[in-house]
């Protein structure tokens, strides 16, 4: 597990108490990380997903992004 992957896992852990659809968020994050080659590509894909998402899942993605940025 590289440093970026550790940050993603830690952000998921930190976001868990605040998100409504944790399992869905975890699945999305891991899927997008698997498709991307680096953190920049991952964030681009996640932001595209954020634009398509509907509430309340959109808020869950925002919470995850805030936790990731804080790390």
């Amino acid at each position: 597990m590289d440093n970026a992957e550790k940050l993603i896992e830690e952000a998921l852990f930190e976001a868990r108490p605040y998100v409504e659809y944790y399992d869905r968020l975890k699945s999305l994050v891991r899927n997008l990380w698997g498709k991307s080659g680096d953190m920049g590509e991952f964030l681009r894909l996640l932001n595209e997903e954020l634009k398509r998402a509907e509430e309340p899942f959109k808020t869950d993605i925002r919470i995850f992004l805030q936790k990731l940025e804080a790390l």
Side-chain angles (χ1 to χ4, degrees), residues 26-62:
K26 183 170 80 170
S27 176
L28 173 69
V29 165
R30 289 186 173 162
N31 183 23
L32 294 179
W33 179 249
K35 290 180 181 178
S36 64
D38 58 31
M39 185 62 83
E41 178 70 6
F42 170 73
L43 291 173
R44 186 186 70 72
L45 291 171
L46 192 58
N47 279 306
E48 284 179 10
E49 198 64 39
L50 179 63
K51 291 175 188 173
R52 289 191 295 265
E54 294 186 16
E55 294 296 347
F57 190 59
K58 184 178 270 196
T59 298
D60 289 353
I61 297 172
R62 283 193 200 111

Side-chain angles (χ1 to χ4, degrees), residues 8-33:
I8 289 169
E9 289 299 321
E10 190 172 336
L12 276 171
F13 177 79
E14 294 288 327
R16 187 175 192 155
Y18 306 102
V19 298
E20 192 169 343
Y21 299 102
Y22 177 75
D23 289 334
R24 183 176 170 194
L25 177 65
K26 183 170 80 170
S27 176
L28 173 69
V29 165
R30 289 186 173 162
N31 183 23
L32 294 179
W33 179 249

